[in-house]
């Protein structure tokens, strides 16, 4: 936004002499959101925090062997948070344009799908959002293999790797507040991100299995407090606690938007799965407190 006017950044590629959105290719094993942030920085020199997802683009391309292939490109609305702005990789110009000028400048019709979605969200008041990420702890050593205090049961090797992978996923959304069950398997799931980002995790007994059994209402109250704060947040808890957390979020789903059906289906799918171990469910929230509404959701699976 500049003086109340929505502006977007387009990039120029001299190799093709075209104007389009910043984009790139996934590295092996890379999460889509992580790639979006990395490629944006590599192409524009700008650091960004991802907001709501935008319509993806699909089109046919020829592979190196000459076969026809289906190319998929995913996009997000995002906000610049820093960076040096130097152009070092395939791009020779970045220009911030208002919507009308961007519509003229874009060289490809399919790129206007994202522009239209941005304009619609801006008009509906659902473009400016903050993320609330629900994380189910990563895979841990089985209960049958652990004979002491269950809260001390640690992650296994797969869980430890997933915790490392979550660092860049959470970073893509600029998470600054971390709440976790005091159980080791939850703390260790978000510990790598806490170390990398410098944000200290806060343990809450109401997010533990034992605490939830003693006070079933506490987990929901903690989520409500996060909705009141409106700060980019992540909550790490257990499968048995997940229904209480998701019940609060279900009541905040914004069902009047153009993408409401797809959002609802994705959220219900995650809720029915109780989130899988190591999953991060990203809820994009517009507003705070009583006005807080979830306008988009994303599942980041291990």
């Amino acid at each position: 936004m500049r003086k109340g006017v929505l502006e977007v950044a387009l990039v120029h590629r001299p190799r093709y002499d075209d104007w389009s959105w910043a984009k790139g290719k996934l590295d092996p094993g890379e999460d889509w959101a992580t790639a979006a942030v990395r490629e944006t920085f590599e192409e524009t020199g700008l650091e960004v925090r991802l907001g709501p997802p935008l319509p993806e683009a699909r089109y046919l391309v020829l592979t190196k062997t000459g076969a026809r292939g289906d190319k998929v490109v995913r996009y997000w609305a995002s906000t610049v948070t820093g960076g040096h702005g130097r152009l070092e990789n395939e791009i020779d110009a970045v220009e911030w344009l208002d919507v009308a000028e961007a519509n003229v400048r874009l060289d490809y019709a399919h790129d206007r799908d994202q522009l239209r979605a941005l304009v619609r969200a801006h008009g509906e008041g659902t473009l400016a959002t903050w993320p609330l990420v629900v994380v189910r702890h990563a895979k841990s050593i089985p209960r049958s293999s652990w004979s002491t205090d269950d809260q001390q049961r640690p992650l296994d090797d797969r869980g430890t790797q997933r915790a490392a992978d979550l660092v860049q996923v959470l970073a893509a959304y600029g998470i600054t507040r971390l709440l976790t069950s005091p159980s080791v398997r939850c703390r260790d799931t978000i510990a790598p991100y806490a170390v990398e980002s410098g944000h200290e995790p806060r343990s809450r007994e109401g997010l533990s299995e034992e605490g939830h059994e003693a006070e079933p209402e506490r987990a929901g109250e903690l989520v409500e407090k996060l909705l009141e704060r409106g700060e980019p947040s992540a909550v790490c808890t257990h499968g048995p606690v997940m229904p209480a957390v998701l019940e609060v979020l279900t009541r905040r789903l914004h069902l009047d938007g153009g993408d409401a059906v797809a959002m609802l289906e994705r959220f219900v799918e995650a809720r029915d799965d109780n989130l899988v171990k190591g999953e991060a469910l990203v809820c994009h929230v517009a507003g705070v407190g009583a006005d807080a509404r979830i306008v988009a959701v994303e599942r980041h699976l291990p």
Side-chain angles (χ1 to χ4, degrees):
M1 296 288 294
R2 189 187 301 269
K3 296 182 179 179
V5 176
L6 178 64
E7 291 188 338
V8 296
L10 302 188
V11 300
H12 181 262
R13 300 182 299 177
R15 178 181 178 184
Y16 303 101
D17 189 24
D18 61 6
W19 287 92
S20 62
W21 307 114
K23 56 183 178 289
K25 296 180 180 179
L26 289 167
D27 285 341
E30 190 175 31
D31 185 274
W32 287 84
T34 300
V37 172
R38 176 184 55 77
E39 285 285 358
T40 299
F41 180 74
E42 290 178 358
E43 293 199 347
T44 68
L46 299 175
E47 297 171 352
V48 299
R49 173 176 68 81
L50 297 186
L54 298 173
E56 65 181 28
R58 289 178 176 267
Y59 43 92
L60 291 175
V61 295
L62 291 179
T63 67
K64 293 181 180 180
T65 63
R68 289 159 61 94
D70 187 24
K71 185 172 184 178
V72 179
V73 186
R74 293 184 181 177
Y75 296 93
W76 282 261
S78 58
T79 301
V80 175
T81 58
H84 50 63
R86 294 190 299 272
L87 305 182
E88 302 173 346
N89 185 32
E90 302 178 359
I91 303 300
D92 66 353
V94 176
E95 289 200 23
W96 288 91
L97 306 171
D98 63 29
V99 171
E101 181 61 28
N103 188 61
V104 172
R105 190 78 64 91
L106 285 167
D107 279 299
Y108 305 106
H110 57 72
D111 282 347
R112 295 187 178 88
D113 292 340
Q114 294 81 40
L115 185 63
R116 283 190 289 269
L118 281 167
V119 172
R120 183 174 64 249
H122 179 59
E124 294 175 350
T126 58
L127 182 57
T129 63
W130 57 274
L132 198 167
V133 185
V134 181
V135 181
R136 183 172 176 183
H137 71 75
K139 193 172 183 299
S140 57
I141 291 176
R143 294 180 196 269
S144 59
S145 302
W146 189 258
S147 59
T148 58
D149 182 1
D150 190 63
Q151 282 204 343
Q152 300 303 312
R153 184 157 52 91
L155 300 178
D156 64 10
D157 290 344
R158 285 175 55 191
T160 300
Q161 180 58 55
R162 178 56 179 166
D165 293 341
L166 281 171
V167 171
Q168 296 305 318
V169 175
L170 296 176
Y173 298 96
I175 300 303
T176 57
R177 189 171 184 83
L178 300 167
L179 293 189
T180 179
S181 158
S183 297
V184 168
R185 55 194 183 278
C186 284
R187 295 207 317 266
D188 285 357
T189 296
I190 61 171
Y193 177 74
V195 171
E196 182 72 19
S197 66
H199 297 294
E200 186 72 23
R202 295 170 168 83
S203 294
R204 296 291 184 265
E205 190 61 38
L207 294 173
S208 70
E209 291 188 37
E210 298 80 5
H212 179 63
E213 186 175 355
E215 296 182 276
E217 73 287 349
R218 188 63 182 138
E221 292 172 355
L222 290 168
V223 175
E224 291 284 6
K225 288 183 178 180
L226 291 176
L227 291 168
E228 291 174 4
R229 293 181 65 93
E231 179 180 353
S233 304
V235 179
C236 188
T237 187
H238 310 260
V241 187
M242 204 59 67
V245 171
L246 298 180
E247 180 182 359
V248 172
L249 300 179
T250 299
R251 298 195 295 266
R252 300 303 189 111
L253 294 174
H254 179 68
L255 301 179
D256 296 329
D259 299 322
V261 173
M263 177 188 68
L264 180 60
E265 290 177 346
R266 193 171 298 113
F267 185 88
V268 169
E269 181 183 61
R271 187 181 63 188
D272 289 348
D273 288 344
N274 218 26
L275 273 67
V276 302
K277 290 182 178 179
E279 177 177 353
L281 179 70
V282 180
C283 299
H284 296 275
V285 186
V288 297
D291 296 327
R293 293 292 180 270
I294 298 171
V295 300
V297 298
E298 302 175 60
R299 299 188 71 180
H300 294 269
L301 299 164

